[in-house]
Amino acid sequence: MTFLLSHAVVSVFVFTVLLNFFCLDPINSMQTGHNYTVCEDCITSDCHQQEHHNCTVNPDNTFACFTCASDIHGNSQFFSVDGCKLSCKTECLCDGACYVCVGDTSVTDTSMFVCAFPTYQVDDSCNQSPYKPSDNTSIS
């Protein structure tokens, strides 16, 4: 009986540790978007054509059109720190390729926020250039 109980305790402990490990993003603020295998699919997408979001180059040479949509808690995200500062009365931090107003959340530990901006974007002819944030400041 003790043998079975000790394995159950270990299993629950490991599950709890793994659950916390995979939920490290403090406010779920990583950008969302659509991935494409070829540039032309990205630049003809609604995300790029109608919503005017940048098509960026992924590390594996695929393409992405990402948005900084509100996270699951309703926190607004922004493409640039300037866009964030227009709406934020406290501190703006980047998390992934988006900025979030940290003062508007219940987050007190901001040490896990990590900037991860794309290196390159493509124009409508699929020519690469250094990444610059979209002119869109926020997507609700």
Side-chain angles (χ1 to χ4, degrees), residues 85-107:
K85 287 180 180 178
L86 288 173
S87 298
C88 182
K89 302 201 182 348
T90 58
E91 186 176 14
C92 290
L93 292 177
C94 62
D95 193 18
C98 299
Y99 286 87
V100 67
C101 184
V102 180
D104 292 345
T105 68
S106 60
V107 174

Side-chain angles (χ1 to χ4, degrees), residues 46-55 65-69 77-84 86 97-99 131-140:
D46 288 346
C47 178
H48 180 71
Q49 290 293 316
Q50 294 178 3
E51 298 172 24
H52 306 290
H53 298 300
N54 292 343
C55 285
C65 184
F66 72 86
T67 63
C68 291
Q77 296 184 103
F78 305 86
F79 289 95
S80 68
V81 69
D82 292 335
C84 183
L86 288 173
C98 299
Y99 286 87
Y131 172 75
K132 289 172 30 178
S134 172
D135 291 337
N136 295 323
T137 56
S138 175
I139 302 299
S140 298

Side-chain angles (χ1 to χ4, degrees), residues 36-76:
Y36 303 93
T37 54
V38 294
C39 179
E40 289 78 9
D41 290 344
C42 187
I43 62 173
T44 59
S45 69
D46 288 346
C47 178
H48 180 71
Q49 290 293 316
Q50 294 178 3
E51 298 172 24
H52 306 290
H53 298 300
N54 292 343
C55 285
T56 59
V57 182
N58 293 325
D60 64 355
N61 289 321
T62 59
F63 301 88
C65 184
F66 72 86
T67 63
C68 291
S70 296
D71 69 11
I72 61 172
H73 303 291
N75 299 309
S76 295

